[in-house]
Amino acid sequence: MKQNTKLNSLSIFGTSSNAGKSTLSFAITYLLNHRGIKVAPFKAQNVSNNSQVTDDGGEIAIPQFFAAEAIGLKTTTNMNPILLKSGGKSRAHVIVNGKSVANKDVLEYYRDINILKPHVKKAFLKLQDEYECIVAEGAGSPVELNLMDKDLSNIYIANTFNTKIIIVADIQKGGVFASIYGVYKLLPKKLRKNVIGVIVNKFQGDMSLFDEGRIIIEKKFGIKVLGVVPFKPFNLGFEDSESIMNYVQDTTKAIIKVGVIKLPHISNFTDFEPLVSDKEVELVFISKPGDILTCDVVVLPGSKRVVDDLEWLRERGFSTLLSSKEQKVVAICGGYEMMFEKILDPLAIESEQQEVSGFGRIKGEVIFAKEKIVKKGCYHLFGCMVDGYEIHNGVAKKRAKKRKSLYGTFVHGLFDSDEFRHKLFFNINQNYKGYNFIEYKERAIKEFSEHIELHVDLDFIQKELYK
């Protein structure tokens, strides 16, 4: 259907947070690419502790990285120019064009929002120079009336670049008609004209029950229903802790139980996607020390606020178990830092406390440096080759340590390695066989995208992009 006409770009708005914008943005990007359109993912501003290292050496949120990687694009910081991470006490760690620039409180951030707009505009324009169409994921709801002038991801992009707009509504939340009608009617008049339709997402049950609902939306609201998408689990590309907590796992064949400690400031939880997808593994998130006793191995994950989360672990009573040399632990990034004897933060990079004691299973200290380490590569860890990445301020003599029942490393992506998973789990249960995560990932991406294509009118969307 490709025509020799310049395409419009596309904004994906949600009626609320967690409506499914990320997965639908990814799927539409994937499907347009497979129809021969040169397309790229984009999100002006993301709020997430889950990030990845781009090919140009910066840091962006997972959804845009994941969508680009799925269609073989080189990842760049232009795909997510503004990223906010937890800064503690109503503060945000601000990352601009892939680089850490400041910690700001929320009011200060919104006060300075106009300073960020040129960075967003420049990033979008650079992508437009290279690609025919940009799929721009929105954030939350686009009609938070008190914040619309400060909204970078929805209103600013749609206004500045005159994008076509798709509204995504999560029917599981209830009130789907009110949410669709409310969002549409509260949009500025100019943007309402660019709305090409709505996708009703996460439907469960008999699809025919929504036939009348489709008529109501189209006849009474005047909005085309582009599709009603049945709920389908997709355990990849997690954006935030809320999304990973909604994972769906088949544990009927599980022979290994892995407990991930659910830290208050948990980060880079895509580390656990290979475990969610492993039929021989039951993954559970734990928040009480007693839960560890039912697990074969415990993961102490990455953290955006290492000292705060270390104190939380102590308050909850985890110290005895995590300090024990007998407890089998995989400690990643912030979790790895907690395993040292001391954590030093003389420049108050993450905490006002300049020195705190860790769990002491690794001799020596971690020092928080001003310059963040942001890089990726192929690492030799624990006798295995791992394609991973690093995002941390902590500095230690070695990026990985093996101590009896402890595997500790700064490197994210450890469980992506089939070799490491097999080594770890086979030592626990010799019936463990393992699986190929890359093959699983490719298959899951293809199947989910085909699911969206089956239930969404992509032909209509593509036509609208040429108007």
Side-chain angles (χ1 to χ4, degrees), residues 73-90:
L73 300 185
K74 282 194 171 183
T75 52
T76 78
T77 57
N78 293 324
M79 294 170 177
N80 175 214
I82 311 296
L83 174 61
L84 305 180
K85 292 188 171 185
S86 300
K89 297 180 181 178
S90 299

Side-chain angles (χ1 to χ4, degrees), residues 179-433:
S179 64
I180 292 169
Y181 185 80
V183 167
Y184 179 70
K185 286 297 184 180
L186 288 173
L187 284 173
K189 189 174 181 181
K190 172 190 171 183
L191 299 189
R192 284 204 300 272
K193 292 178 180 178
N194 286 343
V195 173
I196 62 177
V198 62
I199 295 173
V200 178
N201 198 24
K202 304 182 188 179
F203 191 91
Q204 289 183 296
D206 187 339
M207 294 283 285
S208 66
L209 292 174
F210 203 74
D211 288 348
E212 188 178 351
R214 182 189 290 264
I215 293 169
I216 290 169
I217 294 168
E218 293 191 336
K219 300 296 184 185
K220 292 192 175 182
F221 299 174
I223 310 169
K224 180 176 175 60
V225 177
L226 298 168
V228 179
V229 179
F231 175 75
K232 180 179 175 66
F234 186 61
N235 296 321
L236 296 170
F238 293 120
E239 178 177 20
D240 52 36
S241 55
E242 182 180 359
S243 57
I244 195 171
M245 294 309 151
N246 293 327
Y247 70 92
V248 177
Q249 188 180 35
D250 178 5
T251 60
T252 54
K253 297 180 181 178
I255 57 173
I256 303 283
K257 188 173 183 180
V258 178
V260 176
I261 300 179
K262 188 184 175 185
L263 300 173
H265 303 96
I266 187 172
S267 68
N268 296 85
F269 24 81
T270 43
D271 280 339
F272 316 123
E273 289 177 352
L275 305 181
V276 173
S277 308
D278 191 335
K279 292 182 179 179
E280 295 176 275
V281 170
E282 178 185 359
L283 180 73
V284 294
F285 283 87
I286 59 180
S287 55
K288 302 190 299 292
D291 296 338
I292 290 180
L293 302 176
T294 67
C295 299
D296 297 298
V297 61
V298 174
V299 180
L300 189 54
S303 165
K304 186 63 189 71
R305 304 284 299 172
V306 174
V307 173
D308 290 348
D309 284 349
L310 180 58
E311 290 182 352
W312 179 87
L313 287 167
R314 287 198 165 107
E315 289 169 1
R316 288 292 181 109
F318 281 95
S319 294
T320 302
L321 284 169
L322 292 177
S323 298
S324 170
K325 293 180 180 179
E326 305 305 315
Q327 178 61 53
K328 191 175 287 294
V329 176
V330 178
I332 302 172
C333 199
Y336 177 49
E337 293 165 358
M338 295 179 196
M339 286 292 147
F340 283 79
E341 291 175 312
K342 290 182 180 178
I343 298 173
L344 307 180
D345 193 0
L347 301 176
I349 301 298
E350 280 199 18
S351 170
E352 297 301 319
Q353 299 185 58
Q354 292 191 1
E355 180 179 324
V356 295
S357 297
F359 291 119
R361 288 180 66 175
I362 300 173
K363 289 183 179 180
E365 59 195 27
V366 172
I367 301 175
F368 282 103
K370 184 177 181 180
E371 293 297 319
K372 185 189 287 188
I373 295 170
V374 179
K375 64 180 181 179
K376 65 178 179 177
C378 187
Y379 299 84
H380 188 259
L381 301 174
F382 314 120
C384 307
M385 298 309 297
V386 176
D387 285 319
Y389 64 97
E390 298 177 63
I391 302 174
H392 55 94
N393 287 92
V395 177
K397 288 183 179 179
K398 291 189 177 182
R399 68 164 56 95
K401 290 263 189 178
K402 172 73 171 70
R403 289 286 184 272
K404 198 175 179 181
S405 298
L406 169 68
Y407 295 85
T409 182
F410 280 119
V411 179
H412 295 285
L414 185 62
F415 290 115
D416 287 36
S417 167
D418 299 339
E419 187 181 6
F420 175 75
R421 287 196 320 278
H422 190 272
K423 182 174 185 175
L424 177 68
F425 296 145
F426 184 79
N427 286 336
I428 295 171
N429 187 327
Q430 293 188 359
N431 291 317
Y432 180 81
K433 296 181 176 61

Side-chain angles (χ1 to χ4, degrees), residues 41 53-60 64-65 68 73-81 97-98 123 126-127 130-131:
V53 180
T54 58
D55 290 317
D56 58 359
E59 189 179 351
I60 65 171
Q64 286 65 53
F65 182 95
L73 300 185
K74 282 194 171 183
T75 52
T76 78
T77 57
N78 293 324
M79 294 170 177
N80 175 214
N97 299 322
K126 281 185 176 179
L127 289 178
E130 190 173 351
Y131 297 95

Side-chain angles (χ1 to χ4, degrees), residues 144-187:
E144 302 295 343
L145 300 183
N146 57 321
L147 298 174
M148 283 175 76
D149 61 330
K150 300 174 179 64
D151 179 354
L152 295 178
S153 296
N154 299 298
I155 303 300
Y156 177 70
I157 290 298
N159 258 328
T160 305
F161 298 102
N162 201 34
T163 59
K164 298 291 185 177
I165 298 168
I166 292 174
I167 297 172
V168 180
D170 177 1
I171 197 168
Q172 289 187 5
K173 283 185 165 69
V176 70
F177 298 105
S179 64
I180 292 169
Y181 185 80
V183 167
Y184 179 70
K185 286 297 184 180
L186 288 173
L187 284 173

